[in-house]
Structure formats: C-alpha cells, structure tokens
Amino acid sequence: TMAGSGHGHNLVEQVETEAKLLGLERLMALTYVPGFFEKLGFKIVPMDSLPEKVFGVCVTCPNFDCCDEIAMIKRLRAY
C-alpha cells in the first residue's frame, strides 16, 4: 500500500473501536511517524509514562538503552 491510501487510518479506527468495546481507557503507540497519530488524536508522552510497555516488553529489546521511538497515547475515556 502507498502512503495516503487511508489503510493505516482505518486500521487505527478499528483498533480504537475494539478497545472501547473492551472498556480500555487508552491506546498507546510507539512510532517514528508522530504526525500520523497526532491527526488521529494521539498525544506525545514521555516513554517512562508507559511502564507497562517499557518494563513488560521494551526491556528485552536490543535498543532498550538507545530507543528512538516516540511514545504516544490516546485517551478513550476520562479517568
């Protein structure tokens, strides 16, 4: 697929719909393309604000000490 085809947007919307049905409070993304996710309502956050990701998965990544991905979240409902 080519950039601008809408497939990524549709995929994120489907994930968001399922997350809401499951009662999740937020979605998270690690990305190199923050502008795409900003258009969908995600906000950049510090990586350390996602301890369930960092300490659950990231610690086993070879890039753990030099990660250059951008952490983003989208709140699905108020806390």
Side-chain angles (χ1 to χ4, degrees):
T1 62
M2 298 188 63
S5 66
H7 294 301
H9 183 271
N10 292 338
L11 181 61
V12 173
E13 281 188 343
Q14 288 178 329
V15 169
E16 183 175 338
T17 297
E18 288 189 37
K20 287 178 179 177
L21 290 172
L22 291 170
L24 299 181
E25 296 178 350
R26 65 186 179 161
L27 290 177
M28 110 179 110
L30 296 181
T31 184
Y32 294 113
V33 191
F36 169 79
F37 287 96
E38 286 174 330
K39 291 177 189 173
L40 297 171
F42 285 73
K43 305 288 182 207
I44 295 173
V45 297
M47 185 72 79
D48 62 5
S49 72
L50 304 173
E52 65 276 21
K53 171 67 175 160
V54 174
F55 296 109
V57 179
C58 294
V59 292
T60 62
C61 178
N63 295 324
F64 179 68
D65 292 325
C66 57
C67 181
D68 59 350
E69 290 183 296
I70 298 164
M72 304 187 79
I73 65 165
K74 180 176 184 177
R75 299 211 183 275
L76 301 178
R77 58 185 180 146
Y79 286 90

